[in-house]
Amino acid sequence: MHDLVLDHIKKLDDYVAVATGSMRTKNKYRQHYNPSDTQRDIIWVEKDNTQNQLLCISSDNNVSAKPAGLQVKASHDGLSYVLPSIQNYHYPILYFDLNNDWGAVNKAVMNNHPESTLINPDEIQHEIKHILKGYFDIIVSVIRGEITIEQVIQDAKYDGDSVLSTGIDVAEVTRESKLILPSYLIR
């Protein structure tokens, strides 16, 4: 069984995550660019043939499949933002809790919408949430007039440890594995 799981994980290395609404997707994977996709913010496409998407098998009959995907949400108030609409999503939701309310939101989802799936970003890579918080702080500072966009750009150019430099997309189409899995899936 362990070897079968490892074979499936290795197969996943043949795919790259693509953000359906990003400019990078518009430029590199035009056929998958869809900023109006209300269900999937992230899809996986095959590295060697980007026309092919990763499929997920239905747990009902193990025969039918649909393209795999994730919906991504970030909020300071998941109970007001995520909970009221979670039943509208067919795909799991990766929720970045910018105010550390993931536990309360997850409990409310399990109690009110047990058919829905909420994914904790810390199970994938905990640094991502901190990066998002850093971006949020920069945006708030710009909106409040505490810093200009020009200053943000200059800081990003000259400050080697700027939070903006962490936003560089590392999901290039390469042979190197970019798959990050929670530890309980790798056992």
Side-chain angles (χ1 to χ4, degrees):
M1 180 70 169
H2 181 68
D3 289 340
L4 181 61
V5 171
L6 288 178
D7 287 343
H8 286 307
I9 290 172
K10 287 180 184 177
K11 179 65 179 161
L12 293 175
D13 285 341
D14 293 340
Y15 292 84
V16 62
V18 174
T20 58
S22 76
M23 289 306 294
R24 179 182 181 85
T25 300
K26 185 176 183 180
N27 294 330
K28 292 189 89 168
Y29 308 100
R30 182 169 281 290
Q31 70 274 24
H32 299 296
Y33 178 68
N34 185 1
S36 327
D37 190 333
T38 60
Q39 292 294 316
R40 300 180 307 152
D41 290 324
I42 299 174
I43 61 173
W44 287 266
V45 298
E46 195 172 328
K47 290 176 185 176
D48 292 334
N49 183 354
T50 60
Q51 294 295 320
N52 293 335
Q53 289 187 43
L54 180 67
L55 299 178
C56 57
I57 305 296
S58 170
S59 59
D60 296 335
N61 59 21
N62 290 333
V63 176
S64 63
K66 64 182 181 179
L70 277 179
Q71 180 68 18
V72 178
K73 299 285 183 193
S75 176
H76 279 88
D77 184 2
L79 292 173
S80 297
Y81 178 65
V82 176
L83 189 62
S85 64
I86 195 166
Q87 74 278 359
N88 298 333
Y89 297 101
H90 304 289
Y91 290 91
I93 294 180
L94 176 60
Y95 171 52
F96 291 96
D97 56 322
L98 301 180
N99 202 23
N100 298 319
D101 65 350
W102 197 93
V105 174
N106 187 48
K107 182 177 180 181
V109 167
M110 290 188 322
N111 290 336
N112 298 303
H113 306 288
E115 71 286 352
S116 298
T117 303
L118 194 66
I119 300 171
N120 188 327
D122 291 341
E123 290 185 4
I124 297 171
Q125 190 176 31
H126 69 276
E127 291 88 3
I128 295 172
K129 184 168 73 171
H130 300 292
I131 293 167
L132 285 174
K133 284 182 177 182
Y135 284 135
F136 182 81
D137 292 343
I138 291 170
I139 291 168
V140 168
S141 294
V142 169
I143 291 171
R144 288 181 178 162
E146 298 166 355
I147 189 171
T148 66
I149 292 177
E150 290 80 16
Q151 288 171 307
V152 172
I153 292 169
Q154 289 304 315
D155 288 348
K157 283 182 182 178
Y158 298 110
D159 185 6
D161 61 0
S162 170
V163 70
L164 293 180
S165 66
T166 60
I168 297 171
D169 187 356
V170 295
E172 294 289 336
V173 180
T174 66
R175 284 279 156 223
E176 186 179 323
S177 173
K178 300 291 183 191
L179 184 65
I180 301 168
L181 292 174
S183 58
Y184 63 86
L185 290 178
I186 298 173
R187 288 184 214 153

